[in-house]
Amino acid sequence: MKKTILVISLIFSLIAVPRVATAESLSLNDPEAVFAVQNDVKIIVRGNTLRITGAAGMVVDIYNVTGQKVKSVRLSANDETINTGLPRGCYIVKVGDLVRKVSLG
């Protein structure tokens, strides 16, 4: 019960987080978005891939909207691209202390 309440509150708190986009990350022909920057860790989403920078040695956990972990990857490099292989939709990505909602697809 506590886990369900925690997941629901996490989802509701992340819904209000705006998508961060910079002139460097977006152009009319390039639908890439920087979703989060914290302690030099960046989560960059492009289609169905995640590019994580500044997180060498950390674990990336991806959860679906019901709170189930659907993928976990340990990063070996400081700049790594992960092809998620997940269906289009909203997911919660956790890298170290950084947790953000992203849209894949």
Side-chain angles (χ1 to χ4, degrees), residues 31-102:
E32 180 178 281
V34 177
F35 272 89
V37 179
Q38 179 178 320
N39 298 331
D40 295 328
V41 175
K42 282 186 186 177
I43 300 173
I44 303 165
V45 178
R46 182 173 189 170
N48 203 22
T49 62
L50 295 175
R51 180 178 172 205
I52 312 292
T53 63
M58 293 184 182
V59 175
V60 176
D61 292 320
I62 304 172
Y63 300 87
N64 63 17
V65 292
T66 63
Q68 295 174 316
K69 188 186 294 187
V70 292
K71 191 165 189 102
S72 185
V73 177
R74 179 169 295 279
L75 302 174
S76 57
N78 202 31
D79 186 352
E80 211 165 312
T81 300
I82 302 166
N83 185 358
T84 63
L86 296 170
R88 180 182 189 139
C90 292
Y91 294 89
I92 298 168
V93 177
K94 181 177 184 265
V95 183
D97 293 333
L98 179 63
V99 180
R100 289 295 183 263
K101 177 189 77 162
V102 299

Side-chain angles (χ1 to χ4, degrees), residues 1-8:
M1 181 68 174
K2 283 184 179 180
K3 184 177 180 181
T4 304
I5 293 171
L6 179 64
V7 169
I8 291 170

